[in-house]
Amino acid sequence: QRPLPGKKWPRVQGTMVDGVPFCEGIAILLLAVYIFLGVSILCDSHLCPALDKLCDYLKMPTALAAATFISFGSSAPEIIISTLGAQTNKTELSIPAVLVSALIAFGAIPPMVVWAAGDLKLRVGGVIRDALAYVIALVLFIMYNQGPEINASHASSLIVVYLLYLVVVYVTGTDEEEQDKEVTHPSSAATDLERSLLDKTNGHSADGSEEEDEESGPLLTALSMPFERLFELSIPQGPILAFAMSIAWLCGLSYAVMVMAEGVATRWSISKTTAGITLLAWGGQLPDALAAVSLAKSGKPDEAIIQAIASQVINVSIGLGMPIAVSDVIQGKPMVTQNRKAILLIALVVLASIVLYLASIAPASLTFCRQRSSRKEPLTGMITKMRAIVLVVAFIICYSVSIAFAEKARPVWALP
Protein backbone atom coordinates (compact mmCIF):
# COMPACT_ATOMS: atom_id res chain seq x y z
CA GLN A 1 0.00 0.00 0.00
CA ARG A 2 1.27 3.43 -0.97
CA PRO A 3 0.46 6.82 0.54
CA LEU A 4 -2.07 9.07 -1.17
CA PRO A 5 -0.81 11.46 -3.86
CA GLY A 6 0.89 14.44 -2.29
CA LYS A 7 1.23 12.64 1.05
CA LYS A 8 4.24 11.04 2.71
CA TRP A 9 4.43 8.30 5.26
CA PRO A 10 4.95 9.70 8.77
CA ARG A 11 8.45 9.39 10.13
CA VAL A 12 8.78 7.86 13.56
CA GLN A 13 11.41 9.89 15.35
CA GLY A 14 14.01 7.96 17.30
CA THR A 15 13.31 4.56 15.73
CA MET A 16 14.64 2.50 12.88
CA VAL A 17 11.96 4.08 10.65
CA ASP A 18 13.87 7.35 10.92
CA GLY A 19 17.23 5.78 10.21
CA VAL A 20 19.55 8.79 10.06
CA PRO A 21 18.79 10.27 13.53
CA PHE A 22 18.81 6.78 15.03
CA CYS A 23 22.26 6.02 13.61
CA GLU A 24 23.50 9.43 14.71
CA GLY A 25 22.29 8.64 18.22
CA ILE A 26 24.15 5.32 18.17
CA ALA A 27 27.36 7.06 17.07
CA ILE A 28 27.03 9.73 19.78
CA LEU A 29 26.29 7.06 22.39
CA LEU A 30 29.40 5.04 21.47
CA LEU A 31 31.52 8.18 21.60
CA ALA A 32 30.10 9.06 25.04
CA VAL A 33 30.88 5.54 26.30
CA TYR A 34 34.44 5.93 25.01
CA ILE A 35 34.79 9.25 26.82
CA PHE A 36 33.57 7.62 30.03
CA LEU A 37 36.39 5.10 29.58
CA GLY A 38 38.73 8.08 29.60
CA VAL A 39 37.03 9.41 32.74
CA SER A 40 37.58 6.05 34.45
CA ILE A 41 41.27 6.04 33.48
CA LEU A 42 41.63 9.65 34.64
CA CYS A 43 40.10 8.95 38.06
CA ASP A 44 41.87 5.65 38.71
CA SER A 45 45.33 6.48 37.36
CA HIS A 46 45.71 10.19 38.13
CA LEU A 47 43.01 11.80 40.30
CA CYS A 48 42.81 9.19 43.08
CA PRO A 49 46.62 8.77 43.40
CA ALA A 50 47.01 12.58 43.45
CA LEU A 51 44.45 12.81 46.25
CA ASP A 52 46.22 10.04 48.16
CA LYS A 53 49.54 11.89 47.91
CA LEU A 54 47.81 15.13 48.86
CA CYS A 55 46.46 13.50 52.02
CA ASP A 56 49.97 12.32 52.89
CA TYR A 57 51.33 15.81 52.20
CA LEU A 58 48.72 17.38 54.51
CA LYS A 59 49.29 14.61 57.10
CA MET A 60 45.57 13.97 57.42
CA PRO A 61 44.30 11.20 59.73
CA THR A 62 43.49 8.01 57.83
CA ALA A 63 39.77 8.02 58.67
CA LEU A 64 39.37 11.66 57.67
CA ALA A 65 41.36 11.20 54.45
CA ALA A 66 39.33 8.14 53.42
CA ALA A 67 35.99 9.90 53.93
CA THR A 68 36.99 13.20 52.28
CA PHE A 69 39.63 13.45 49.55
CA ILE A 70 39.76 9.77 48.60
CA SER A 71 35.98 9.46 48.65
CA PHE A 72 35.86 12.55 46.44
CA GLY A 73 38.07 10.72 43.95
CA SER A 74 35.48 7.95 43.65
CA SER A 75 32.60 10.43 43.37
CA ALA A 76 34.28 12.97 41.12
CA PRO A 77 32.36 12.18 37.88
CA GLU A 78 28.95 12.61 39.54
CA ILE A 79 30.04 15.73 41.43
CA ILE A 80 31.39 17.39 38.29
CA ILE A 81 28.25 16.47 36.33
CA SER A 82 26.08 17.92 39.11
CA THR A 83 28.17 21.10 39.20
CA LEU A 84 27.98 21.58 35.45
CA GLY A 85 24.24 20.87 35.52
CA ALA A 86 23.66 23.59 38.12
CA GLN A 87 25.81 26.14 36.28
CA THR A 88 24.36 25.45 32.82
CA ASN A 89 20.72 24.98 33.90
CA LYS A 90 20.68 21.32 32.88
CA THR A 91 19.39 19.89 36.14
CA GLU A 92 16.99 17.56 34.31
CA LEU A 93 20.15 15.73 33.22
CA SER A 94 22.43 16.05 36.24
CA ILE A 95 20.18 15.50 39.28
CA PRO A 96 18.53 12.27 38.04
CA ALA A 97 22.00 10.98 37.10
CA VAL A 98 23.25 11.55 40.66
CA LEU A 99 20.17 9.89 42.17
CA VAL A 100 20.19 6.83 39.91
CA SER A 101 23.92 6.35 40.48
CA ALA A 102 22.89 5.52 44.07
CA LEU A 103 20.31 3.06 42.73
CA ILE A 104 23.13 1.35 40.84
CA ALA A 105 25.41 1.38 43.90
CA PHE A 106 22.78 -0.09 46.24
CA GLY A 107 21.09 -2.46 43.81
CA ALA A 108 23.53 -3.50 41.07
CA ILE A 109 27.07 -3.38 42.45
CA PRO A 110 26.49 -5.73 45.46
CA PRO A 111 25.25 -8.57 43.19
CA MET A 112 28.24 -8.00 40.89
CA VAL A 113 30.57 -8.44 43.85
CA VAL A 114 28.75 -11.56 45.08
CA TRP A 115 28.96 -13.16 41.65
CA ALA A 116 32.66 -12.27 41.42
CA ALA A 117 33.67 -13.42 44.91
CA GLY A 118 30.85 -15.55 46.38
CA ASP A 119 28.78 -14.91 49.52
CA LEU A 120 29.60 -11.58 51.12
CA LYS A 121 29.90 -10.61 54.79
CA LEU A 122 29.49 -6.97 55.82
CA ARG A 123 29.62 -5.14 59.12
CA VAL A 124 26.07 -4.05 59.79
CA GLY A 125 27.14 -0.97 61.75
CA GLY A 126 29.07 0.57 58.87
CA VAL A 127 26.32 -0.28 56.37
CA ILE A 128 23.63 1.36 58.50
CA ARG A 129 25.83 4.41 59.12
CA ASP A 130 26.43 5.06 55.41
CA ALA A 131 22.85 4.27 54.36
CA LEU A 132 21.37 6.47 57.10
CA ALA A 133 23.59 9.40 56.15
CA TYR A 134 22.51 9.06 52.53
CA VAL A 135 18.81 8.79 53.46
CA ILE A 136 18.95 11.92 55.65
CA ALA A 137 20.56 13.98 52.90
CA LEU A 138 18.19 12.61 50.25
CA VAL A 139 15.07 13.31 52.35
CA LEU A 140 16.24 16.88 52.91
CA PHE A 141 16.78 17.32 49.18
CA ILE A 142 13.32 15.91 48.43
CA MET A 143 11.76 18.43 50.85
CA TYR A 144 13.66 21.36 49.34
CA ASN A 145 12.94 20.25 45.78
CA GLN A 146 9.19 20.39 46.45
CA GLY A 147 9.41 24.11 47.12
CA PRO A 148 9.57 26.82 44.46
CA GLU A 149 13.38 26.99 44.60
CA ILE A 150 16.48 25.65 46.35
CA ASN A 151 18.61 28.39 47.90
CA ALA A 152 22.02 28.53 49.55
CA SER A 153 20.66 27.87 53.06
CA HIS A 154 18.96 24.68 51.84
CA ALA A 155 22.15 23.57 50.13
CA SER A 156 24.19 24.38 53.23
CA SER A 157 22.14 21.93 55.28
CA LEU A 158 23.15 19.15 52.87
CA ILE A 159 26.79 20.09 53.38
CA VAL A 160 26.24 20.04 57.17
CA VAL A 161 24.91 16.48 56.87
CA TYR A 162 28.17 15.48 55.22
CA LEU A 163 30.25 17.21 57.92
CA LEU A 164 28.30 15.37 60.62
CA TYR A 165 28.84 12.15 58.67
CA LEU A 166 32.60 12.78 58.79
CA VAL A 167 32.44 13.16 62.56
CA VAL A 168 30.53 9.89 62.89
CA VAL A 169 32.98 8.12 60.57
CA TYR A 170 35.91 9.35 62.63
CA VAL A 171 34.34 8.31 65.95
CA THR A 172 33.06 4.94 64.77
CA GLY A 173 36.34 4.31 62.96
CA THR A 174 38.21 4.62 66.23
CA ASP A 175 35.78 2.22 67.91
CA GLU A 176 36.12 -0.32 65.09
CA GLU A 177 39.91 -0.22 65.34
CA GLU A 178 39.70 -0.98 69.06
CA GLN A 179 37.28 -3.87 68.43
CA ASP A 180 39.58 -5.30 65.77
CA LYS A 181 42.56 -5.20 68.12
CA GLU A 182 40.58 -6.87 70.93
CA VAL A 183 38.87 -9.58 68.84
CA THR A 184 40.30 -10.93 65.61
CA HIS A 185 42.46 -8.37 63.83
CA PRO A 186 45.14 -7.21 66.27
CA SER A 187 47.37 -5.88 63.49
CA SER A 188 44.66 -3.92 61.68
CA ALA A 189 45.14 -0.15 61.70
CA ALA A 190 42.27 0.91 59.45
CA THR A 191 38.54 0.40 59.29
CA ASP A 192 36.72 -1.25 56.41
CA LEU A 193 35.85 2.13 54.90
CA GLU A 194 39.42 3.35 55.10
CA ARG A 195 40.92 0.13 53.71
CA SER A 196 38.48 -0.02 50.82
CA LEU A 197 39.12 3.53 49.63
CA LEU A 198 42.85 3.39 50.28
CA ASP A 199 43.18 0.07 48.44
CA LYS A 200 41.52 1.67 45.45
CA THR A 201 44.08 4.49 45.34
CA ASN A 202 47.11 2.37 46.19
CA GLY A 203 46.45 -0.29 43.58
CA HIS A 204 48.50 1.36 40.84
CA SER A 205 51.81 -0.45 41.16
CA ALA A 206 53.65 -1.87 38.22
CA ASP A 207 52.55 -5.41 39.02
CA GLY A 208 48.94 -4.25 39.30
CA SER A 209 49.18 -2.53 35.93
CA GLU A 210 50.52 -5.65 34.27
CA GLU A 211 47.71 -7.77 35.72
CA GLU A 212 45.11 -5.25 34.57
CA ASP A 213 46.55 -5.28 31.05
CA GLU A 214 46.34 -9.07 30.96
CA GLU A 215 42.73 -9.08 32.17
CA SER A 216 41.52 -6.21 29.98
CA GLY A 217 42.56 -7.78 26.70
CA PRO A 218 44.14 -6.23 23.61
CA LEU A 219 41.04 -4.31 22.46
CA LEU A 220 40.51 -2.44 25.73
CA THR A 221 44.24 -1.85 26.03
CA ALA A 222 44.30 -0.32 22.55
CA LEU A 223 41.26 1.86 23.28
CA SER A 224 42.76 3.04 26.57
CA MET A 225 46.16 3.91 25.12
CA PRO A 226 45.23 7.36 23.65
CA PHE A 227 43.80 8.53 26.98
CA GLU A 228 46.75 7.13 28.93
CA ARG A 229 49.28 8.88 26.71
CA LEU A 230 47.30 12.13 26.69
CA PHE A 231 46.99 12.22 30.47
CA GLU A 232 50.63 11.26 31.01
CA LEU A 233 51.78 14.14 28.81
CA SER A 234 49.41 16.78 30.22
CA ILE A 235 49.18 15.95 33.94
CA PRO A 236 52.26 16.86 36.05
CA GLN A 237 53.69 14.72 38.83
CA GLY A 238 53.18 17.01 41.84
CA PRO A 239 50.03 16.18 43.85
CA ILE A 240 48.56 19.70 43.82
CA LEU A 241 49.17 20.35 40.13
CA ALA A 242 48.11 16.80 39.26
CA PHE A 243 44.87 17.27 41.18
CA ALA A 244 44.16 20.63 39.49
CA MET A 245 44.88 19.31 36.00
CA SER A 246 42.84 16.15 36.61
CA ILE A 247 39.86 18.26 37.67
CA ALA A 248 40.27 20.42 34.55
CA TRP A 249 40.26 17.33 32.34
CA LEU A 250 37.30 15.90 34.25
CA CYS A 251 35.28 19.09 33.75
CA GLY A 252 35.94 19.11 30.03
CA LEU A 253 35.13 15.43 29.54
CA SER A 254 32.01 15.60 31.73
CA TYR A 255 30.66 18.61 29.87
CA ALA A 256 31.25 16.84 26.57
CA VAL A 257 29.31 13.81 27.81
CA MET A 258 26.42 16.02 28.97
CA VAL A 259 26.21 17.61 25.53
CA MET A 260 26.25 14.14 23.96
CA ALA A 261 23.51 12.97 26.30
CA GLU A 262 21.37 15.87 25.10
CA GLY A 263 22.17 14.91 21.52
CA VAL A 264 21.08 11.31 22.09
CA ALA A 265 17.87 12.50 23.76
CA THR A 266 17.08 14.79 20.82
CA ARG A 267 17.76 12.23 18.13
CA TRP A 268 15.93 9.39 19.86
CA SER A 269 13.05 11.59 21.06
CA ILE A 270 13.51 10.62 24.71
CA SER A 271 13.43 12.96 27.68
CA LYS A 272 16.66 14.46 28.99
CA THR A 273 15.87 12.89 32.35
CA THR A 274 15.91 9.46 30.73
CA ALA A 275 19.26 10.27 29.12
CA GLY A 276 20.56 11.31 32.54
CA ILE A 277 19.53 8.13 34.37
CA THR A 278 20.87 5.89 31.62
CA LEU A 279 23.97 7.30 29.96
CA LEU A 280 25.21 9.69 32.67
CA ALA A 281 24.33 7.52 35.68
CA TRP A 282 25.97 4.38 34.33
CA GLY A 283 28.95 6.32 33.03
CA GLY A 284 29.47 8.00 36.39
CA GLN A 285 29.30 4.68 38.21
CA LEU A 286 31.76 2.96 35.85
CA PRO A 287 34.86 3.68 38.01
CA ASP A 288 33.14 2.44 41.18
CA ALA A 289 31.74 -0.68 39.49
CA LEU A 290 35.12 -1.61 38.00
CA ALA A 291 36.90 -0.93 41.27
CA ALA A 292 34.34 -3.02 43.20
CA VAL A 293 34.73 -6.04 40.92
CA SER A 294 38.53 -5.66 40.97
CA LEU A 295 38.62 -5.55 44.78
CA ALA A 296 36.27 -8.54 44.96
CA LYS A 297 38.48 -10.62 42.66
CA SER A 298 41.54 -9.69 44.74
CA GLY A 299 39.93 -11.18 47.84
CA LYS A 300 38.41 -8.02 49.35
CA PRO A 301 34.69 -8.22 48.49
CA ASP A 302 33.49 -6.49 51.66
CA GLU A 303 35.72 -3.49 50.97
CA ALA A 304 34.42 -3.43 47.39
CA ILE A 305 30.86 -2.87 48.60
CA ILE A 306 31.85 -0.29 51.22
CA GLN A 307 33.73 1.96 48.80
CA ALA A 308 30.81 1.95 46.36
CA ILE A 309 28.23 2.81 49.02
CA ALA A 310 30.31 5.36 50.94
CA SER A 311 30.96 7.41 47.81
CA GLN A 312 27.19 7.93 47.42
CA VAL A 313 27.05 9.95 50.64
CA ILE A 314 29.34 12.59 49.19
CA ASN A 315 27.35 12.47 45.91
CA VAL A 316 24.01 13.42 47.47
CA SER A 317 25.37 15.87 50.05
CA ILE A 318 28.33 17.64 48.45
CA GLY A 319 27.44 16.68 44.87
CA LEU A 320 24.00 18.27 45.10
CA GLY A 321 24.55 20.79 47.91
CA MET A 322 27.82 22.47 46.94
CA PRO A 323 26.91 23.39 43.32
CA ILE A 324 23.58 24.86 44.43
CA ALA A 325 25.19 26.90 47.20
CA VAL A 326 27.95 28.20 44.94
CA SER A 327 25.47 29.02 42.16
CA ASP A 328 23.26 30.97 44.57
CA VAL A 329 26.18 32.90 46.04
CA ILE A 330 27.92 33.70 42.74
CA GLN A 331 24.92 34.25 40.47
CA GLY A 332 22.68 35.68 43.19
CA LYS A 333 19.70 33.49 42.31
CA PRO A 334 18.46 30.21 43.80
CA MET A 335 18.22 27.13 41.62
CA VAL A 336 14.88 26.05 40.19
CA THR A 337 15.01 22.37 39.27
CA GLN A 338 13.44 21.17 36.06
CA ASN A 339 11.18 18.10 35.75
CA ARG A 340 10.55 18.28 39.50
CA LYS A 341 7.89 15.56 39.60
CA ALA A 342 10.12 13.01 37.89
CA ILE A 343 12.98 13.83 40.28
CA LEU A 344 10.66 13.26 43.26
CA LEU A 345 9.46 9.89 41.99
CA ILE A 346 13.00 8.75 41.15
CA ALA A 347 14.19 9.77 44.63
CA LEU A 348 11.40 7.69 46.20
CA VAL A 349 12.47 4.71 44.10
CA VAL A 350 16.05 5.17 45.37
CA LEU A 351 14.76 5.18 48.97
CA ALA A 352 12.93 1.92 48.28
CA SER A 353 16.13 0.38 46.90
CA ILE A 354 18.03 1.35 50.07
CA VAL A 355 15.40 -0.43 52.19
CA LEU A 356 15.80 -3.55 50.05
CA TYR A 357 19.58 -3.32 50.32
CA LEU A 358 19.45 -3.13 54.12
CA ALA A 359 17.00 -6.05 54.20
CA SER A 360 19.37 -8.13 52.07
CA ILE A 361 22.15 -7.94 54.67
CA ALA A 362 19.96 -8.44 57.75
CA PRO A 363 21.38 -11.08 60.14
CA ALA A 364 19.61 -14.44 60.10
CA SER A 365 18.08 -14.16 63.58
CA LEU A 366 17.97 -12.08 66.75
CA THR A 367 19.61 -14.97 68.63
CA PHE A 368 22.62 -14.66 66.33
CA CYS A 369 22.71 -10.90 67.05
CA ARG A 370 22.71 -11.49 70.81
CA GLN A 371 25.49 -14.08 70.55
CA ARG A 372 27.72 -11.74 68.59
CA SER A 373 26.97 -8.89 71.00
CA SER A 374 27.82 -11.03 74.04
CA ARG A 375 31.24 -11.86 72.52
CA LYS A 376 31.88 -8.16 71.73
CA GLU A 377 32.29 -8.97 68.07
CA PRO A 378 31.05 -6.57 65.39
CA LEU A 379 27.63 -7.55 64.08
CA THR A 380 27.79 -8.80 60.50
CA GLY A 381 25.26 -9.56 57.80
CA MET A 382 25.60 -11.70 54.70
CA ILE A 383 24.53 -11.26 51.10
CA THR A 384 24.16 -14.74 49.68
CA LYS A 385 23.77 -15.58 46.01
CA MET A 386 20.03 -16.01 46.53
CA ARG A 387 19.76 -12.59 48.12
CA ALA A 388 21.89 -11.19 45.31
CA ILE A 389 19.38 -12.54 42.79
CA VAL A 390 16.56 -10.87 44.71
CA LEU A 391 18.54 -7.61 44.67
CA VAL A 392 19.02 -7.87 40.91
CA VAL A 393 15.31 -8.45 40.31
CA ALA A 394 14.45 -5.53 42.60
CA PHE A 395 17.03 -3.33 40.83
CA ILE A 396 15.59 -4.13 37.40
CA ILE A 397 12.11 -3.26 38.63
CA CYS A 398 13.24 -0.03 40.33
CA TYR A 399 15.33 1.01 37.34
CA SER A 400 12.48 0.33 34.91
CA VAL A 401 10.09 2.30 37.11
CA SER A 402 12.57 5.20 37.18
CA ILE A 403 12.69 5.27 33.39
CA ALA A 404 8.88 5.12 33.26
CA PHE A 405 8.68 8.10 35.62
CA ALA A 406 11.27 10.02 33.61
CA GLU A 407 9.72 9.39 30.22
CA LYS A 408 6.51 11.25 29.49
CA ALA A 409 3.81 9.67 27.32
CA ARG A 410 3.85 11.14 23.83
CA PRO A 411 2.34 10.27 20.43
CA VAL A 412 4.59 8.13 18.26
CA TRP A 413 3.62 9.90 15.05
CA ALA A 414 0.88 12.05 13.65
CA LEU A 415 -0.58 12.23 10.18
CA PRO A 416 0.10 15.46 8.31
Side-chain angles (χ1 to χ4, degrees):
Q1 184 180 0
R2 295 186 178 184
L4 297 174
K7 300 289 184 179
K8 295 181 179 180
W9 288 115
R11 304 182 73 189
V12 183
Q13 296 291 331
T15 66
M16 289 298 293
V17 177
D18 194 7
V20 174
F22 181 82
C23 294
E24 289 177 352
I26 290 291
I28 295 173
L29 177 63
L30 292 176
L31 182 58
V33 171
Y34 184 60
I35 290 180
F36 268 124
L37 174 63
V39 170
S40 177
I41 295 171
L42 177 65
C43 291
D44 287 348
S45 300
H46 297 278
L47 180 59
C48 287
L51 289 170
D52 189 28
K53 293 178 182 178
L54 190 59
C55 292
D56 292 338
Y57 176 77
L58 297 175
K59 298 180 180 180
M60 296 180 64
T62 304
L64 193 59
T68 53
F69 283 104
I70 299 174
S71 183
F72 173 81
S74 297
S75 306
E78 291 93 338
I79 294 176
I80 296 299
I81 287 174
S82 178
T83 302
L84 293 174
Q87 296 297 321
T88 58
N89 198 28
K90 297 179 180 179
T91 55
E92 74 275 23
L93 273 169
S94 59
I95 293 177
V98 172
L99 296 179
V100 174
S101 68
L103 181 61
I104 296 171
F106 285 103
I109 292 181
M112 292 181 188
V113 172
V114 171
W115 289 334
D119 293 350
L120 174 66
K121 284 186 177 181
L122 289 173
R123 289 186 175 183
V124 174
V127 169
I128 294 177
R129 175 197 64 200
D130 298 339
L132 184 60
Y134 185 91
V135 168
I136 292 173
L138 181 58
V139 169
L140 287 176
F141 177 78
I142 291 173
M143 293 170 55
Y144 301 149
N145 190 55
Q146 293 306 106
E149 59 189 19
I150 305 178
N151 55 38
S153 62
H154 295 155
S156 299
S157 66
L158 297 177
I159 299 174
V160 169
V161 170
Y162 178 68
L163 296 177
L164 293 176
Y165 168 72
L166 293 183
V167 174
V168 174
V169 166
Y170 184 79
V171 173
T172 57
T174 304
D175 294 339
E176 288 179 7
E177 288 180 17
E178 293 177 355
Q179 285 183 346
D180 285 343
K181 293 177 182 179
E182 293 177 359
V183 184
T184 56
H185 305 294
S187 62
S188 174
T191 66
D192 288 340
L193 174 60
E194 298 161 21
R195 285 193 299 268
S196 64
L197 293 171
L198 292 173
D199 284 339
K200 182 177 178 181
T201 58
N202 293 333
H204 302 281
S205 62
D207 295 338
S209 299
E210 292 177 2
E211 292 178 0
E212 288 179 0
D213 290 341
E214 293 177 359
E215 292 180 0
S216 60
L219 178 58
L220 186 58
T221 301
L223 292 174
S224 303
M225 188 176 298
F227 285 115
E228 293 174 351
R229 294 292 181 267
L230 181 62
F231 295 149
E232 287 175 3
L233 292 174
S234 60
I235 298 178
Q237 294 297 322
I240 298 178
L241 293 178
F243 170 74
M245 194 63 194
S246 297
I247 292 296
W249 268 114
L250 192 57
C251 289
L253 294 175
S254 298
Y255 184 76
V257 170
M258 290 183 67
V259 173
M260 292 176 187
E262 285 187 305
V264 172
T266 300
R267 284 161 178 80
W268 288 358
S269 294
I270 60 176
S271 67
K272 294 181 181 180
T273 302
T274 300
I277 66 178
T278 50
L279 176 60
L280 296 184
W282 280 103
Q285 276 298 295
L286 181 62
D288 283 346
L290 294 177
V293 174
S294 177
L295 285 173
K297 289 182 177 179
S298 64
K300 302 172 183 177
D302 53 341
E303 298 176 15
I305 294 291
I306 290 170
Q307 66 88 17
I309 300 300
S311 63
Q312 295 305 314
V313 179
I314 194 172
N315 282 349
V316 73
S317 55
I318 300 298
L320 294 179
M322 187 67 74
I324 297 174
V326 172
S327 178
D328 191 4
V329 171
I330 295 178
Q331 299 181 6
K333 58 181 181 179
M335 188 182 74
V336 179
T337 57
Q338 302 178 29
N339 207 354
R340 188 176 304 167
K341 183 177 180 180
I343 291 175
L344 169 63
L345 296 174
I346 292 171
L348 294 177
V349 171
V350 173
L351 288 176
S353 71
I354 295 175
V355 173
L356 293 172
Y357 169 72
L358 293 176
S360 70
I361 62 168
S365 65
L366 293 178
T367 303
F368 176 80
C369 296
R370 287 194 294 268
Q371 290 174 351
R372 302 285 289 192
S373 178
S374 63
R375 295 197 298 265
K376 295 183 179 180
E377 296 181 16
L379 184 62
T380 59
M382 178 175 289
I383 303 179
T384 62
K385 290 185 177 180
M386 181 58 66
R387 292 184 176 184
I389 293 174
V390 174
L391 269 181
V392 169
V393 173
F395 168 75
I396 293 173
I397 294 173
C398 291
Y399 192 68
S400 301
V401 170
S402 298
I403 294 177
F405 287 151
E407 193 64 27
K408 298 178 180 179
R410 65 186 69 188
V412 178
W413 54 269
L415 291 173

